[in-house]
Amino acid sequence: MMQQNVLVTSISKKVPLLQAVKYALQKSDFNAILIGGDADSKCTGKYFVDEFWHMPKITNLEIEELVRYCKAKGIVLILPTRDGELLYFARHKEQLEEQGIHVMISNERAVTICLDKQKFYDELSACGYPVITTTQDIEQLEGERYVVKERYGAGSQSIGLDLLREEAVAHAKHLSSPIFQPYIEGEEVSVDMYIDAFSQVKGVIVRKRELVVHGESQVSTTFRHQEIEELCAQMASDMNLYGHVIFQGLLDEDGMFHVIECNPRFGGASSLSLVAGLDSFYWCYLEALKKNITYYPFVRSEGEKKLVRYACDLIIDV
């Protein structure tokens, strides 16, 4: 039987993610190998996969070339990891599926909403969800302190936090498509979840972002919060999301949860949620093999877990 392998794209230096995928594959009985792809031939991640693909930039990758590569390498599952490639895979999701290549990605409409902060606010606030007010015109906001960020792409990109009105207006002049939000004091929270092929939320893990550097949690701790879990699960269902996704929000001193955004992919600190029981990569691999994961339950850890990210060295004999 031909190997049923996995391709992770844009691997960069995402070593914990690659290790988590390898662990998931080791749990299966299919002797699968992990192939990592990146446009940078010198990326760190190449040392943590079974085989490396120096792939073209996503803007230059014809879908026919991708299919040919996957067929030649026995790839049945693709795991995109970078915001800039998510729409590409969402647009080609059905075409790849027809070729027996499953992708852990939501549909194009859902991904578009997630990557456009203004659209995300407009859509979800209209459904009554507590999304932080987002506007392209600061005059529509009340208050004294503001957040300014790019409308599209990663939330931490060129962000201006806790700014006075005149500071916010000045900061916006340096952005391509600025949007404004009121600044809200609160604890940063990430909500990891997996939505299966039947659009059912398989499991949810809530975690505090205790130390954030360049938009990624360096210290994060799981905790239980039924209201946040149920709220985000309902949003995911209404948005028709699929696979591993992350909702970001703020929990204020009054216990109110303010939704900021949704990342329709695995996150930098999402490996904490895997350890807490959210077996996203294993479930997705099984779904790629057309297995019903109803028989592979979500079992949340009884105790809470803390993640601390740190630099580590790999020594190789040469």
Side-chain angles (χ1 to χ4, degrees), residues 99-128:
Q99 298 294 325
I101 305 163
H102 190 68
V103 187
M104 189 168 78
I105 193 69
S106 302
N107 63 60
E108 183 177 356
R109 182 178 185 277
V111 172
T112 299
I113 292 172
C114 291
L115 295 179
D116 182 341
K117 297 175 186 62
Q118 186 65 61
K119 196 173 187 67
F120 180 80
Y121 168 74
D122 293 342
E123 295 267 347
L124 291 173
S125 62
C127 296

PDB file of all heavy atoms in Angstrom, residues 99-128:
ATOM      1  N   GLN A  99      -8.914  15.129  -5.832  1.00  0.00           N
ATOM      2  CA  GLN A  99      -7.702  14.371  -6.158  1.00  0.00           C
ATOM      3  C   GLN A  99      -7.225  13.510  -4.992  1.00  0.00           C
ATOM      4  O   GLN A  99      -6.121  12.954  -5.027  1.00  0.00           O
ATOM      5  CB  GLN A  99      -6.586  15.337  -6.570  1.00  0.00           C
ATOM      6  CG  GLN A  99      -6.883  16.155  -7.813  1.00  0.00           C
ATOM      7  CD  GLN A  99      -6.990  15.295  -9.060  1.00  0.00           C
ATOM      8  OE1 GLN A  99      -6.281  14.298  -9.207  1.00  0.00           O
ATOM      9  NE2 GLN A  99      -7.902  15.652  -9.963  1.00  0.00           N
ATOM     10  N   GLY A 100      -8.047  13.431  -3.945  1.00  0.00           N
ATOM     11  CA  GLY A 100      -7.692  12.613  -2.785  1.00  0.00           C
ATOM     12  C   GLY A 100      -6.724  13.299  -1.837  1.00  0.00           C
ATOM     13  O   GLY A 100      -6.044  12.638  -1.055  1.00  0.00           O
ATOM     14  N   ILE A 101      -6.682  14.639  -1.907  1.00  0.00           N
ATOM     15  CA  ILE A 101      -5.768  15.413  -1.057  1.00  0.00           C
ATOM     16  C   ILE A 101      -6.598  16.302  -0.137  1.00  0.00           C
ATOM     17  O   ILE A 101      -7.219  17.272  -0.581  1.00  0.00           O
ATOM     18  CB  ILE A 101      -4.812  16.268  -1.917  1.00  0.00           C
ATOM     19  CG1 ILE A 101      -4.069  15.393  -2.928  1.00  0.00           C
ATOM     20  CG2 ILE A 101      -3.827  17.017  -1.021  1.00  0.00           C
ATOM     21  CD1 ILE A 101      -3.443  16.172  -4.067  1.00  0.00           C
ATOM     22  N   HIS A 102      -6.624  15.975   1.126  1.00  0.00           N
ATOM     23  CA  HIS A 102      -7.409  16.699   2.119  1.00  0.00           C
ATOM     24  C   HIS A 102      -6.596  17.891   2.629  1.00  0.00           C
ATOM     25  O   HIS A 102      -5.371  17.812   2.723  1.00  0.00           O
ATOM     26  CB  HIS A 102      -7.733  15.748   3.278  1.00  0.00           C
ATOM     27  CG  HIS A 102      -8.729  16.270   4.258  1.00  0.00           C
ATOM     28  ND1 HIS A 102     -10.050  16.477   3.951  1.00  0.00           N
ATOM     29  CD2 HIS A 102      -8.590  16.630   5.558  1.00  0.00           C
ATOM     30  CE1 HIS A 102     -10.691  16.931   5.017  1.00  0.00           C
ATOM     31  NE2 HIS A 102      -9.822  17.035   6.001  1.00  0.00           N
ATOM     32  N   VAL A 103      -7.261  18.992   2.920  1.00  0.00           N
ATOM     33  CA  VAL A 103      -6.570  20.173   3.446  1.00  0.00           C
ATOM     34  C   VAL A 103      -7.267  20.624   4.728  1.00  0.00           C
ATOM     35  O   VAL A 103      -8.495  20.720   4.773  1.00  0.00           O
ATOM     36  CB  VAL A 103      -6.571  21.346   2.434  1.00  0.00           C
ATOM     37  CG1 VAL A 103      -5.693  22.486   2.965  1.00  0.00           C
ATOM     38  CG2 VAL A 103      -6.080  20.892   1.069  1.00  0.00           C
ATOM     39  N   MET A 104      -6.481  20.894   5.762  1.00  0.00           N
ATOM     40  CA  MET A 104      -7.074  21.420   6.997  1.00  0.00           C
ATOM     41  C   MET A 104      -7.272  22.925   6.834  1.00  0.00           C
ATOM     42  O   MET A 104      -6.452  23.741   7.264  1.00  0.00           O
ATOM     43  CB  MET A 104      -6.208  21.124   8.218  1.00  0.00           C
ATOM     44  CG  MET A 104      -6.931  21.463   9.530  1.00  0.00           C
ATOM     45  SD  MET A 104      -6.150  20.836  11.034  1.00  0.00           S
ATOM     46  CE  MET A 104      -4.830  22.028  11.239  1.00  0.00           C
ATOM     47  N   ILE A 105      -8.364  23.275   6.191  1.00  0.00           N
ATOM     48  CA  ILE A 105      -8.689  24.676   5.926  1.00  0.00           C
ATOM     49  C   ILE A 105     -10.198  24.832   5.818  1.00  0.00           C
ATOM     50  O   ILE A 105     -10.889  23.916   5.363  1.00  0.00           O
ATOM     51  CB  ILE A 105      -7.994  25.178   4.632  1.00  0.00           C
ATOM     52  CG1 ILE A 105      -8.065  26.706   4.501  1.00  0.00           C
ATOM     53  CG2 ILE A 105      -8.592  24.505   3.411  1.00  0.00           C
ATOM     54  CD1 ILE A 105      -7.245  27.445   5.501  1.00  0.00           C
ATOM     55  N   SER A 106     -10.701  25.974   6.228  1.00  0.00           N
ATOM     56  CA  SER A 106     -12.130  26.272   6.091  1.00  0.00           C
ATOM     57  C   SER A 106     -12.426  26.689   4.657  1.00  0.00           C
ATOM     58  O   SER A 106     -11.513  26.839   3.835  1.00  0.00           O
ATOM     59  CB  SER A 106     -12.526  27.376   7.065  1.00  0.00           C
ATOM     60  OG  SER A 106     -12.246  27.008   8.406  1.00  0.00           O
ATOM     61  N   ASN A 107     -13.706  26.889   4.351  1.00  0.00           N
ATOM     62  CA  ASN A 107     -14.072  27.310   2.997  1.00  0.00           C
ATOM     63  C   ASN A 107     -13.640  28.753   2.745  1.00  0.00           C
ATOM     64  O   ASN A 107     -13.297  29.493   3.665  1.00  0.00           O
ATOM     65  CB  ASN A 107     -15.577  27.138   2.749  1.00  0.00           C
ATOM     66  CG  ASN A 107     -16.418  28.011   3.666  1.00  0.00           C
ATOM     67  OD1 ASN A 107     -16.310  29.229   3.655  1.00  0.00           O
ATOM     68  ND2 ASN A 107     -17.259  27.380   4.464  1.00  0.00           N
ATOM     69  N   GLU A 108     -13.674  29.167   1.480  1.00  0.00           N
ATOM     70  CA  GLU A 108     -13.145  30.476   1.096  1.00  0.00           C
ATOM     71  C   GLU A 108     -13.868  31.626   1.795  1.00  0.00           C
ATOM     72  O   GLU A 108     -13.241  32.588   2.234  1.00  0.00           O
ATOM     73  CB  GLU A 108     -13.222  30.644  -0.426  1.00  0.00           C
ATOM     74  CG  GLU A 108     -12.618  31.940  -0.914  1.00  0.00           C
ATOM     75  CD  GLU A 108     -12.624  32.081  -2.425  1.00  0.00           C
ATOM     76  OE1 GLU A 108     -13.044  31.123  -3.119  1.00  0.00           O
ATOM     77  OE2 GLU A 108     -12.222  33.154  -2.921  1.00  0.00           O
ATOM     78  N   ARG A 109     -15.186  31.545   1.901  1.00  0.00           N
ATOM     79  CA  ARG A 109     -15.934  32.636   2.536  1.00  0.00           C
ATOM     80  C   ARG A 109     -15.526  32.795   4.001  1.00  0.00           C
ATOM     81  O   ARG A 109     -15.292  33.913   4.478  1.00  0.00           O
ATOM     82  CB  ARG A 109     -17.437  32.385   2.435  1.00  0.00           C
ATOM     83  CG  ARG A 109     -18.264  33.511   3.031  1.00  0.00           C
ATOM     84  CD  ARG A 109     -19.762  33.284   2.889  1.00  0.00           C
ATOM     85  NE  ARG A 109     -20.505  34.459   3.363  1.00  0.00           N
ATOM     86  CZ  ARG A 109     -20.802  34.689   4.637  1.00  0.00           C
ATOM     87  NH1 ARG A 109     -20.438  33.817   5.564  1.00  0.00           N
ATOM     88  NH2 ARG A 109     -21.477  35.777   4.986  1.00  0.00           N
ATOM     89  N   ALA A 110     -15.408  31.682   4.714  1.00  0.00           N
ATOM     90  CA  ALA A 110     -15.054  31.738   6.129  1.00  0.00           C
ATOM     91  C   ALA A 110     -13.647  32.289   6.316  1.00  0.00           C
ATOM     92  O   ALA A 110     -13.403  33.127   7.203  1.00  0.00           O
ATOM     93  CB  ALA A 110     -15.157  30.346   6.751  1.00  0.00           C
ATOM     94  N   VAL A 111     -12.714  31.855   5.483  1.00  0.00           N
ATOM     95  CA  VAL A 111     -11.333  32.338   5.586  1.00  0.00           C
ATOM     96  C   VAL A 111     -11.266  33.832   5.272  1.00  0.00           C
ATOM     97  O   VAL A 111     -10.560  34.597   5.943  1.00  0.00           O
ATOM     98  CB  VAL A 111     -10.405  31.540   4.657  1.00  0.00           C
ATOM     99  CG1 VAL A 111      -9.008  32.164   4.610  1.00  0.00           C
ATOM    100  CG2 VAL A 111     -10.297  30.087   5.134  1.00  0.00           C
ATOM    101  N   THR A 112     -12.017  34.269   4.271  1.00  0.00           N
ATOM    102  CA  THR A 112     -12.049  35.687   3.906  1.00  0.00           C
ATOM    103  C   THR A 112     -12.534  36.539   5.067  1.00  0.00           C
ATOM    104  O   THR A 112     -11.972  37.605   5.361  1.00  0.00           O
ATOM    105  CB  THR A 112     -12.958  35.913   2.683  1.00  0.00           C
ATOM    106  OG1 THR A 112     -12.433  35.182   1.571  1.00  0.00           O
ATOM    107  CG2 THR A 112     -13.040  37.382   2.316  1.00  0.00           C
ATOM    108  N   ILE A 113     -13.561  36.077   5.761  1.00  0.00           N
ATOM    109  CA  ILE A 113     -14.088  36.806   6.918  1.00  0.00           C
ATOM    110  C   ILE A 113     -13.034  36.889   8.023  1.00  0.00           C
ATOM    111  O   ILE A 113     -12.852  37.935   8.651  1.00  0.00           O
ATOM    112  CB  ILE A 113     -15.378  36.134   7.440  1.00  0.00           C
ATOM    113  CG1 ILE A 113     -16.503  36.301   6.422  1.00  0.00           C
ATOM    114  CG2 ILE A 113     -15.778  36.718   8.793  1.00  0.00           C
ATOM    115  CD1 ILE A 113     -17.751  35.513   6.760  1.00  0.00           C
ATOM    116  N   CYS A 114     -12.327  35.787   8.242  1.00  0.00           N
ATOM    117  CA  CYS A 114     -11.315  35.767   9.297  1.00  0.00           C
ATOM    118  C   CYS A 114     -10.141  36.696   9.005  1.00  0.00           C
ATOM    119  O   CYS A 114      -9.572  37.289   9.919  1.00  0.00           O
ATOM    120  CB  CYS A 114     -10.798  34.345   9.497  1.00  0.00           C
ATOM    121  SG  CYS A 114     -11.996  33.204  10.219  1.00  0.00           S
ATOM    122  N   LEU A 115      -9.782  36.827   7.738  1.00  0.00           N
ATOM    123  CA  LEU A 115      -8.605  37.626   7.375  1.00  0.00           C
ATOM    124  C   LEU A 115      -8.914  39.112   7.206  1.00  0.00           C
ATOM    125  O   LEU A 115      -7.999  39.920   7.076  1.00  0.00           O
ATOM    126  CB  LEU A 115      -7.994  37.077   6.073  1.00  0.00           C
ATOM    127  CG  LEU A 115      -7.420  35.659   6.142  1.00  0.00           C
ATOM    128  CD1 LEU A 115      -6.881  35.239   4.782  1.00  0.00           C
ATOM    129  CD2 LEU A 115      -6.329  35.551   7.211  1.00  0.00           C
ATOM    130  N   ASP A 116     -10.187  39.458   7.215  1.00  0.00           N
ATOM    131  CA  ASP A 116     -10.620  40.849   7.054  1.00  0.00           C
ATOM    132  C   ASP A 116     -11.282  41.284   8.365  1.00  0.00           C
ATOM    133  O   ASP A 116     -12.425  40.936   8.647  1.00  0.00           O
ATOM    134  CB  ASP A 116     -11.602  40.950   5.884  1.00  0.00           C
ATOM    135  CG  ASP A 116     -12.081  42.372   5.617  1.00  0.00           C
ATOM    136  OD1 ASP A 116     -11.972  43.229   6.510  1.00  0.00           O
ATOM    137  OD2 ASP A 116     -12.604  42.616   4.508  1.00  0.00           O
ATOM    138  N   LYS A 117     -10.562  42.064   9.176  1.00  0.00           N
ATOM    139  CA  LYS A 117     -11.061  42.419  10.510  1.00  0.00           C
ATOM    140  C   LYS A 117     -12.345  43.245  10.472  1.00  0.00           C
ATOM    141  O   LYS A 117     -13.187  43.145  11.361  1.00  0.00           O
ATOM    142  CB  LYS A 117      -9.964  43.140  11.287  1.00  0.00           C
ATOM    143  CG  LYS A 117      -8.742  42.271  11.534  1.00  0.00           C
ATOM    144  CD  LYS A 117      -7.628  43.058  12.189  1.00  0.00           C
ATOM    145  CE  LYS A 117      -6.379  42.213  12.285  1.00  0.00           C
ATOM    146  NZ  LYS A 117      -5.856  41.811  10.948  1.00  0.00           N
ATOM    147  N   GLN A 118     -12.494  44.088   9.449  1.00  0.00           N
ATOM    148  CA  GLN A 118     -13.717  44.868   9.331  1.00  0.00           C
ATOM    149  C   GLN A 118     -14.896  43.950   9.005  1.00  0.00           C
ATOM    150  O   GLN A 118     -15.976  44.061   9.588  1.00  0.00           O
ATOM    151  CB  GLN A 118     -13.576  45.939   8.255  1.00  0.00           C
ATOM    152  CG  GLN A 118     -14.764  46.887   8.177  1.00  0.00           C
ATOM    153  CD  GLN A 118     -14.930  47.726   9.433  1.00  0.00           C
ATOM    154  OE1 GLN A 118     -14.051  48.500   9.788  1.00  0.00           O
ATOM    155  NE2 GLN A 118     -16.059  47.584  10.122  1.00  0.00           N
ATOM    156  N   LYS A 119     -14.677  43.040   8.079  1.00  0.00           N
ATOM    157  CA  LYS A 119     -15.724  42.098   7.697  1.00  0.00           C
ATOM    158  C   LYS A 119     -16.082  41.173   8.858  1.00  0.00           C
ATOM    159  O   LYS A 119     -17.249  40.846   9.089  1.00  0.00           O
ATOM    160  CB  LYS A 119     -15.260  41.284   6.484  1.00  0.00           C
ATOM    161  CG  LYS A 119     -16.368  40.554   5.746  1.00  0.00           C
ATOM    162  CD  LYS A 119     -15.834  39.923   4.476  1.00  0.00           C
ATOM    163  CE  LYS A 119     -16.938  39.324   3.630  1.00  0.00           C
ATOM    164  NZ  LYS A 119     -17.850  40.340   3.068  1.00  0.00           N
ATOM    165  N   PHE A 120     -15.055  40.770   9.611  1.00  0.00           N
ATOM    166  CA  PHE A 120     -15.264  39.913  10.781  1.00  0.00           C
ATOM    167  C   PHE A 120     -16.193  40.611  11.779  1.00  0.00           C
ATOM    168  O   PHE A 120     -17.158  40.025  12.270  1.00  0.00           O
ATOM    169  CB  PHE A 120     -13.917  39.597  11.431  1.00  0.00           C
ATOM    170  CG  PHE A 120     -13.997  38.720  12.648  1.00  0.00           C
ATOM    171  CD1 PHE A 120     -14.139  37.348  12.518  1.00  0.00           C
ATOM    172  CD2 PHE A 120     -13.930  39.266  13.921  1.00  0.00           C
ATOM    173  CE1 PHE A 120     -14.211  36.533  13.650  1.00  0.00           C
ATOM    174  CE2 PHE A 120     -13.997  38.463  15.053  1.00  0.00           C
ATOM    175  CZ  PHE A 120     -14.137  37.084  14.913  1.00  0.00           C
ATOM    176  N   TYR A 121     -15.906  41.880  12.055  1.00  0.00           N
ATOM    177  CA  TYR A 121     -16.763  42.628  12.974  1.00  0.00           C
ATOM    178  C   TYR A 121     -18.171  42.791  12.414  1.00  0.00           C
ATOM    179  O   TYR A 121     -19.168  42.549  13.111  1.00  0.00           O
ATOM    180  CB  TYR A 121     -16.162  44.005  13.269  1.00  0.00           C
ATOM    181  CG  TYR A 121     -17.149  44.916  13.963  1.00  0.00           C
ATOM    182  CD1 TYR A 121     -17.464  44.727  15.305  1.00  0.00           C
ATOM    183  CD2 TYR A 121     -17.800  45.939  13.267  1.00  0.00           C
ATOM    184  CE1 TYR A 121     -18.408  45.535  15.935  1.00  0.00           C
ATOM    185  CE2 TYR A 121     -18.721  46.751  13.887  1.00  0.00           C
ATOM    186  CZ  TYR A 121     -19.023  46.542  15.225  1.00  0.00           C
ATOM    187  OH  TYR A 121     -19.968  47.324  15.848  1.00  0.00           O
ATOM    188  N   ASP A 122     -18.275  43.206  11.158  1.00  0.00           N
ATOM    189  CA  ASP A 122     -19.586  43.456  10.555  1.00  0.00           C
ATOM    190  C   ASP A 122     -20.464  42.204  10.581  1.00  0.00           C
ATOM    191  O   ASP A 122     -21.644  42.263  10.946  1.00  0.00           O
ATOM    192  CB  ASP A 122     -19.424  43.939   9.110  1.00  0.00           C
ATOM    193  CG  ASP A 122     -18.774  45.315   9.013  1.00  0.00           C
ATOM    194  OD1 ASP A 122     -18.761  46.035  10.036  1.00  0.00           O
ATOM    195  OD2 ASP A 122     -18.272  45.649   7.927  1.00  0.00           O
ATOM    196  N   GLU A 123     -19.882  41.077  10.211  1.00  0.00           N
ATOM    197  CA  GLU A 123     -20.652  39.826  10.127  1.00  0.00           C
ATOM    198  C   GLU A 123     -21.082  39.329  11.503  1.00  0.00           C
ATOM    199  O   GLU A 123     -22.245  38.969  11.717  1.00  0.00           O
ATOM    200  CB  GLU A 123     -19.817  38.748   9.428  1.00  0.00           C
ATOM    201  CG  GLU A 123     -19.498  39.034   7.963  1.00  0.00           C
ATOM    202  CD  GLU A 123     -20.517  38.421   7.016  1.00  0.00           C
ATOM    203  OE1 GLU A 123     -21.314  37.576   7.459  1.00  0.00           O
ATOM    204  OE2 GLU A 123     -20.505  38.792   5.824  1.00  0.00           O
ATOM    205  N   LEU A 124     -20.149  39.295  12.449  1.00  0.00           N
ATOM    206  CA  LEU A 124     -20.438  38.668  13.740  1.00  0.00           C
ATOM    207  C   LEU A 124     -21.199  39.589  14.686  1.00  0.00           C
ATOM    208  O   LEU A 124     -22.020  39.125  15.478  1.00  0.00           O
ATOM    209  CB  LEU A 124     -19.146  38.169  14.376  1.00  0.00           C
ATOM    210  CG  LEU A 124     -18.535  36.973  13.635  1.00  0.00           C
ATOM    211  CD1 LEU A 124     -17.171  36.616  14.185  1.00  0.00           C
ATOM    212  CD2 LEU A 124     -19.454  35.761  13.723  1.00  0.00           C
ATOM    213  N   SER A 125     -20.948  40.889  14.604  1.00  0.00           N
ATOM    214  CA  SER A 125     -21.719  41.807  15.453  1.00  0.00           C
ATOM    215  C   SER A 125     -23.178  41.819  15.011  1.00  0.00           C
ATOM    216  O   SER A 125     -24.091  41.952  15.840  1.00  0.00           O
ATOM    217  CB  SER A 125     -21.129  43.220  15.404  1.00  0.00           C
ATOM    218  OG  SER A 125     -21.189  43.754  14.101  1.00  0.00           O
ATOM    219  N   ALA A 126     -23.416  41.645  13.702  1.00  0.00           N
ATOM    220  CA  ALA A 126     -24.788  41.588  13.186  1.00  0.00           C
ATOM    221  C   ALA A 126     -25.530  40.369  13.723  1.00  0.00           C
ATOM    222  O   ALA A 126     -26.765  40.361  13.783  1.00  0.00           O
ATOM    223  CB  ALA A 126     -24.777  41.574  11.660  1.00  0.00           C
ATOM    224  N   CYS A 127     -24.781  39.345  14.115  1.00  0.00           N
ATOM    225  CA  CYS A 127     -25.387  38.134  14.686  1.00  0.00           C
ATOM    226  C   CYS A 127     -25.493  38.215  16.205  1.00  0.00           C
ATOM    227  O   CYS A 127     -25.924  37.251  16.858  1.00  0.00           O
ATOM    228  CB  CYS A 127     -24.558  36.904  14.308  1.00  0.00           C
ATOM    229  SG  CYS A 127     -24.516  36.563  12.533  1.00  0.00           S
ATOM    230  N   GLY A 128     -25.089  39.362  16.761  1.00  0.00           N
ATOM    231  CA  GLY A 128     -25.238  39.570  18.199  1.00  0.00           C
ATOM    232  C   GLY A 128     -24.061  39.132  19.043  1.00  0.00           C
ATOM    233  O   GLY A 128     -24.152  39.102  20.274  1.00  0.00           O
TER     234      GLY A 128
END
